Amino acid sequence: GGGGGGGGGGGANGDAPAVSVSVASVSRADTPPSPSPPLLPQPGVRGKQLVAGGSLVAVLALSLCGAGTLLHLSLAAAFLLVGVGCLTVEQAFRAIQHRVLLTIAASFGLGAALDRSGLSAMLGALLAELEPLLGPLPFLGAVFLFTSALSCLVSNAACVVLVYGVLKDLHDGGGLAALRPAQVMLAMMMGASASFATPIGYQTNLMVLQPGGYSFADFARLGVPLTLSTALCAAASIYSLPPSWLP
């Protein structure tokens, strides 16, 4: 009996270390791994603010100087911000808005469809017929509005490619006798950057659409009057520029 009791006691004492080992292994498994050491010295909050602001200024300055493309400079700044701890890799990936990227990519396909279907050529022919009827100043406004409306549907780069060919053919055919080519091209470039009426016209419009709680109607309600007023000011300014300023 005593031996059995001793055996039982020995069995109980023998099981205790196994239980403690299993609990320890579970606790070690639940413990998150220690973070890897930072690649660069970690500044304080004030230092991180200075690094973030300085990176933005450096990207813009180097891009203007032609030191590199905006893509490469932006990637270098992003790696720097992650390296100094301004944001984590997870935060950087979460900041990428995939819907915005897909919409931008799809706009190039829409621009190609407008070109291959002949719709852009038809609109350009209509624009060419309006020039002798409108006169030089209203025609500049029409070019601005036409390019702005097209830029609200496709990317501004694709819009410029489409409209440039139409205006070049119009000029080569002698249809812009009262205007200098630089005036028409400047109106086109300014109109391509005035995509205020829809959220899909430019990347920044899409970026503020969801966080701001805006809708398509909000952009149209504010963007259409803004586009009209900008077209009026741009056409008057471009038409009044002397040849010494705009050959």
Side-chain angles (χ1 to χ4, degrees), residues 4 47 60 65 117 141 173 188 197:
L60 296 177
C65 295
S117 64
M188 175 198 67

Side-chain angles (χ1 to χ4, degrees), residues 33-39:
S34 58
S36 58
L39 300 177

Side-chain angles (χ1 to χ4, degrees), residues 49-230:
Q49 294 175 349
L50 294 176
V51 171
S55 299
L56 176 61
V57 174
V59 167
L60 296 177
L62 293 174
S63 178
L64 290 175
C65 295
T69 64
L70 187 59
L71 173 62
H72 294 159
L73 294 173
S74 301
L75 289 176
F79 280 115
L80 176 63
L81 295 177
V82 172
V84 300
C86 291
L87 73 165
T88 64
V89 177
E90 291 77 12
Q91 290 173 336
F93 275 105
R94 284 198 302 267
I96 299 175
Q97 301 185 17
H98 299 89
R99 291 185 178 180
V100 175
L101 297 179
L102 289 175
T103 305
I104 295 171
S107 66
F108 286 97
L110 180 58
L114 290 176
D115 186 20
R116 296 181 180 180
S117 64
L119 180 59
S120 61
M122 183 183 66
L123 295 176
L126 178 62
L127 189 64
E129 294 178 0
L130 290 177
E131 193 272 334
L133 300 176
L134 296 177
L137 180 58
F139 180 74
L140 288 176
V143 170
F144 185 101
L145 292 175
F146 171 71
T147 314
S148 176
L150 188 58
S151 182
C152 289
L153 301 176
V154 300
S155 66
N156 53 357
C159 175
V160 168
V161 170
L162 294 174
V163 181
Y164 172 79
V166 173
L167 295 178
K168 184 177 183 300
D169 294 340
L170 181 60
H171 175 263
D172 294 341
L176 300 176
L179 291 170
R180 301 187 299 276
Q183 291 178 309
V184 182
M185 295 303 170
L186 182 57
M188 175 198 67
M189 290 187 294
M190 295 185 66
S193 301
S195 51
F196 307 134
T198 62
I200 62 174
Y202 200 67
Q203 298 93 319
T204 50
N205 297 12
L206 286 170
M207 291 178 183
V208 301
L209 176 64
Q210 186 174 1
Y214 302 115
S215 63
F216 269 71
D218 295 329
F219 278 85
R221 184 168 56 251
L222 298 176
V224 170
L226 181 59
T227 301
L228 293 176
S229 59
T230 307

